[in-house]
Amino acid sequence: MVARLLLRAWPRRPGVGPGAPRRPLSAGSRPDQYLQRSIVPTMHYQNSLPRLPIPKLEDTIRRYLNAQKPLLDDSQFRKTEQFCKSFENGIGKELQKQLVAQDKQNKHTSYISGPWFDMYLTARDSVVLNFNPFMAFNPDPKSEYNDQLTRATNMTVSSIRFLKTLQAGLLEPEVFHLNPAKSDTDTFKRLIRFVPSSLSWYGAYLVNAYPLDMSQYFRLFNSTRLPRPSRDELFTDDKARHLLVLRKGHFYVFDVLDQDGNIVSTSEIQAHLKYILSDNSPAPEFPLAYLTSENRDIWAALRQKLVNGGNEETLRKVDSAVFCLCLDDFPIKDLVHLSHSMLHGDGTNRWFDKSFNLIIAQDGTAAVHFEHAWGDGVAVLRFFNEVFKDSTQAPAVTPQSQPARTDSSVAVQKLNFKLNDTLKTGISAAKEKFDATMKTLTVDLIRFQRGGKEFLKKQKLSPDSVAQLAFQMAFLRQYGQTVATYESCSTAAFKHGRTETIRPASTFTKRCSEAFVRAPSKHSAGELQQMIAECSKYHGQLTKEAATGQGFDRHLFALRYLAAAKGISLPELFLDPAYGRINHNILSTSTLTSPAVNFGGFAPVVPDGFGIGYAVHDDWIGCNVSSYPGRNGREFLQCVEKALEDMFDALEGKSIKT
């Protein structure tokens, strides 16, 4: 099982993937076909992005030992220190030399890209819970627009507008602006577009702007992860023009782009979706979608049987569809129900292998559930934000709009699969396994209303560090120990960057947590404030190191991967129980905030862990925690709340209540 999520992702103008342009801008393209018309080409910065640095081996070892300190007792730490010294002065030095040499020969990519794809695609666990996360949209501010048909039509049209804008090279490049008053201006954009692509990154850098890697974007659409024995395959067919819709376990396809590459009229899309919503067919006895939740080798074998049984062309329509729209037949009861529905559902109405599923419940509650091998959250979050903005500010239809008078029974094709007894048995087994697994997952949520980003920034503290410190205090209070903790950080500021790990559990957080949990009365408010400030400062340092490619996790992963690829016996460093323990991430955490996001979530990455999706808003802090039997998520969140209360009390100069 692998930790994941989330944040900000080569194509050359005007196309968006390797090779030739895809759908050209048609001469008669209407303005409503695009979300925006950026004067700076989408991929303008891609060729000049800096390369992901390989850290010095001694820096990685130092950082690794710092992260191990709070997790080990003195004798364990001395053993780990010894393994590290032997590695650094021996085989590690040779592996580092080979990694650097290999990286110099592959200047078109990053040293982590290949191994990271391999890590995801060779994993044989089900993608459900183990890898795929979700992000839930906020409701449309205009309540009447949350009608399922209206919202499904608007979000579908906005999604296709995003696709067309991206493919035409008209989507604003993804840039992190440190000084938007200088860099996020029309004047700067008019100048930078004339700077050659090979130099454009440097022009942005001069005004404190950092363009981000967008190489993952071309996998957003028309893409699917295909199960294969031992190693899966990422498939993309950029010529396909149809949408895949799932409802009650049935599969439907219809074209959303015409032969010229223009979006089909919105009233027709609305009519086709209305037609699908009115289909009263009972749910299929053997819902095929369950197979995408299976172990990857089992699914690969069953898929081959599907192909051999005459379903190849039908499967091709599923795999090549622009994306998968899931229309659920029930309203969302509450946020816990929302989490379960969007993270896994009942297994019948999701194609978990698709690059993303856009899910819309009966009451218009919407979310994106995405497969993780093809990319990280950067491309998904950008798509998510743009679709929310466009569908709410420039909706294609209104609640009063009338669907086109068209024969949807001709335009919409219902896909039928030929299933033999072996496949039916396989689907039944997958369903049984799915149902049993999902019953074990618990989800709990809190909203801490006392304050958020605004208050913490006034205290000159990193809001993220305070949230992470609360998790450390909570686990210590609940279980009496400090454990391996993972926080995802994007390295999209580099060409083909993926993610790096921030290790929030430190000697600083351990000392501070023990003071708050075990002996608050022995410390003055000033002393507690000082400890929180030290944690914040160190967390800021770790975050900066991770974002600039100077963490230790990916570097060690690459060295281990290289040793295995070269047939070298695994170095003792990687056989050390402490290495296994720090990579057994009991607290797996990820944060994102956006005006479009209600919240996001994912499952724990280890059976005895917590999956923690959180967000620090201006005046409140939200936290969504998933767990399996053996861990109590509700109790953990009560401890998180207590930790936040205590810290806010200390920051306000009050004494801590026991």
Side-chain angles (χ1 to χ4, degrees):
M1 290 173 160
V2 184
R4 68 279 240 182
L5 231 74
L6 260 157
L7 245 102
R8 314 283 183 237
W10 88 43
R12 296 175 204 39
R13 168 95 163 99
V16 184
R22 306 201 272 176
R23 302 184 187 103
L25 205 59
S26 52
S29 286
R30 305 188 303 273
D32 64 350
Q33 301 276 303
Y34 302 99
L35 293 173
Q36 55 199 222
R37 288 178 176 269
S38 172
I39 59 173
V40 182
T42 307
M43 296 296 160
H44 188 55
Y45 299 107
Q46 192 67 24
N47 290 341
S48 58
L49 283 174
R51 301 194 61 225
L52 183 67
I54 298 176
K56 292 176 181 173
L57 185 57
E58 59 267 31
D59 289 344
T60 284
I61 295 298
R62 173 176 50 78
R63 290 171 182 138
Y64 172 66
L65 286 170
N66 283 341
Q68 286 284 18
K69 239 173 223 168
L71 309 179
L72 305 174
D73 64 30
D74 289 346
S75 70
Q76 289 170 331
F77 186 75
R78 280 196 297 274
K79 280 181 196 164
T80 295
E81 212 171 17
Q82 206 50 56
F83 287 134
C84 285
K85 277 180 188 162
S86 302
F87 182 76
E88 190 181 342
N89 298 322
I91 186 63
K93 197 179 282 185
E94 183 54 36
L95 287 170
Q96 174 78 351
K97 202 185 295 178
Q98 289 182 33
L99 185 65
V100 170
Q102 195 179 74
D103 188 51
K104 281 179 180 163
Q105 290 172 346
N106 292 285
K107 292 187 175 172
H108 63 286
T109 188
S110 69
Y111 78 91
I112 199 62
S113 184
W116 211 240
F117 273 119
D118 257 10
M119 178 269 296
Y120 275 118
L121 295 173
T122 57
R124 301 291 84 194
D125 293 321
S126 166
V127 296
V128 190
L129 301 192
N130 295 311
F131 297 100
N132 294 15
F134 80 90
M135 288 188 278
F137 288 95
N138 276 318
D140 192 304
K142 303 180 290 296
S143 59
E144 67 275 19
Y145 279 75
N146 290 303
D147 163 75
Q148 187 179 27
L149 177 60
T150 305
R151 199 164 200 205
T153 306
N154 283 329
M155 286 193 146
T156 297
V157 173
S158 292
S159 299
I160 307 302
R161 283 178 184 160
F162 183 97
L163 164 67
K164 282 184 59 66
T165 310
L166 173 67
Q167 291 183 338
L170 296 172
L171 189 72
E172 285 272 355
E174 189 81 1
V175 178
F176 180 64
H177 299 276
L178 275 179
N179 187 357
K182 269 191 177 180
S183 57
D184 198 11
T185 65
D186 287 343
T187 306
F188 175 74
K189 290 171 188 174
R190 279 196 293 270
L191 287 170
I192 198 70
R193 66 178 168 159
F194 293 113
V195 176
S197 188
S198 57
L199 298 170
S200 54
W201 181 88
Y202 301 94
Y205 173 74
L206 288 173
V207 289
N208 242 347
Y210 295 87
L212 303 180
D213 180 73
M214 296 182 77
S215 64
Q216 296 172 8
Y217 278 56
F218 82 101
R219 292 275 191 207
L220 257 172
F221 299 100
N222 304 97
S223 296
T224 301
R225 174 175 175 161
L226 303 182
R228 297 284 188 246
S230 304
R231 187 186 192 276
D232 290 355
E233 173 191 329
L234 294 175
F235 167 86
T236 302
D237 176 2
D238 55 35
K239 293 178 182 64
R241 297 183 281 115
H242 62 278
L243 176 72
L244 170 67
V245 183
L246 262 60
R247 180 170 172 263
K248 287 186 178 174
H250 294 290
F251 294 67
Y252 310 82
V253 293
F254 63 87
D255 284 352
V256 285
L257 293 162
D258 64 23
Q259 289 183 326
D260 297 323
N262 285 314
I263 303 174
V264 168
S265 84
T266 54
S267 59
E268 280 184 54
I269 291 173
Q270 186 181 20
H272 300 337
L273 292 176
K274 185 178 181 182
Y275 170 78
I276 291 168
L277 284 166
S278 67
D279 184 350
N280 292 320
S281 308
E285 190 182 354
F286 297 97
L288 193 74
Y290 277 119
L291 294 182
T292 61
S293 72
E294 256 293 7
N295 166 283
R296 303 307 291 177
D297 282 337
I298 294 173
W299 173 207
L302 289 168
R303 184 187 164 95
Q304 194 53 54
K305 287 184 169 57
L306 270 169
V307 169
N308 297 344
N311 297 292
E312 187 167 13
E313 195 183 323
T314 315
L315 278 171
R316 174 84 187 202
K317 285 177 179 164
V318 171
D319 300 332
S320 63
V322 174
F323 63 90
C324 179
L325 173 67
C326 308
L327 299 173
D328 284 352
D329 265 21
F330 51 83
I332 297 299
K333 298 176 205 159
D334 53 38
L335 293 176
V336 170
H337 183 222
L338 190 155
S339 275
H340 282 293
S341 298
M342 303 313 181
L343 186 56
H344 56 79
D346 67 0
T348 65
N349 216 45
R350 310 279 182 268
W351 197 253
F352 293 113
D353 288 354
K354 207 72 184 132
S355 57
F356 71 88
N357 289 253
L358 175 60
I359 306 163
I360 301 179
Q362 195 178 55
D363 59 355
T365 303
V368 166
H369 170 113
F370 69 98
E371 196 281 315
H372 221 324
W374 65 270
D376 308 301
V378 181
V380 180
L381 187 57
R382 174 71 184 276
F383 164 77
F384 189 98
N385 287 337
E386 296 285 5
V387 165
F388 181 78
K389 183 181 176 185
D390 188 65
S391 65
T392 56
Q393 295 182 12
V397 297
T398 70
Q400 290 74 41
S401 298
Q402 290 302 307
R405 292 184 176 178
T406 182
D407 189 353
S408 292
S409 66
V410 175
V412 178
Q413 181 191 359
K414 193 171 184 178
L415 302 182
N416 291 303
F417 295 90
K418 300 164 189 162
L419 304 177
N420 59 25
D421 288 345
T422 306
L423 287 162
K424 287 177 182 177
T425 303
I427 291 168
S428 298
K431 176 187 182 335
E432 203 173 305
K433 199 183 292 184
F434 181 91
D435 290 346
T437 304
M438 299 315 138
K439 276 179 194 164
T440 67
L441 185 78
T442 303
V443 175
D444 296 278
L445 300 99
I446 56 158
R447 285 192 169 199
F448 178 77
Q449 305 279 12
R450 188 166 153 188
K453 206 178 287 180
E454 283 179 5
F455 171 76
L456 295 170
K457 284 191 170 175
K458 278 178 191 166
Q459 309 293 318
K460 297 187 168 55
L461 295 170
S462 149
D464 187 57
S465 76
V466 171
Q468 287 289 345
L469 183 52
F471 305 147
Q472 295 301 314
M473 287 185 193
F475 200 88
L476 184 71
R477 184 178 295 279
Q478 191 180 11
Y479 297 105
Q481 62 182 139
T482 296
V483 292
T485 308
Y486 177 107
E487 179 181 359
S488 180
C489 180
S490 173
T491 51
F494 301 94
K495 186 178 284 189
H496 294 192
R498 294 290 310 235
T499 58
E500 182 53 270
T501 309
I502 300 168
R503 291 289 179 177
S506 66
T507 51
F508 296 100
T509 61
K510 189 173 187 177
R511 177 171 164 256
C512 186
S513 298
E514 285 175 345
F516 270 88
V517 172
R518 292 184 174 149
S521 58
K522 289 183 184 172
H523 302 275
S524 68
E527 286 170 337
L528 294 173
Q529 288 169 12
Q530 180 60 32
M531 281 189 257
I532 296 171
E534 285 169 354
C535 292
S536 176
K537 186 181 175 186
Y538 188 64
H539 189 80
Q541 179 191 322
L542 293 178
T543 304
K544 187 178 178 183
E545 286 172 355
T548 55
Q550 294 296 327
F552 67 82
D553 279 84
R554 298 300 175 267
H555 187 198
L556 288 179
F557 178 88
L559 293 170
R560 182 182 177 172
Y561 180 91
L562 183 61
K566 300 277 185 185
I568 297 167
S569 298
L570 208 55
E572 283 183 315
L573 167 64
F574 302 117
L575 297 169
D576 177 13
Y579 181 79
R581 205 173 305 140
I582 201 170
N583 285 292
H584 184 86
N585 292 300
I586 288 174
L587 298 180
S588 181
T589 74
S590 185
T591 182
L592 72 157
T593 47
S594 149
V597 177
N598 186 344
F599 66 96
F602 49 93
V605 298
V606 293
D608 58 340
F610 289 119
I612 305 170
Y614 66 101
V616 184
H617 299 272
D618 285 345
D619 53 3
W620 62 280
I621 299 169
C623 195
N624 174 24
V625 169
S626 59
S627 57
Y628 293 119
R631 292 290 185 203
N632 187 325
R634 184 165 300 167
E635 188 182 286
F636 176 74
L637 282 177
Q638 287 167 355
C639 294
V640 169
E641 213 156 10
K642 165 73 173 149
L644 290 168
E645 288 285 359
D646 287 353
M647 280 192 279
F648 274 61
D649 280 347
L651 292 169
E652 289 171 357
K654 298 173 186 170
S655 57
I656 309 301
K657 303 176 192 79
T658 51

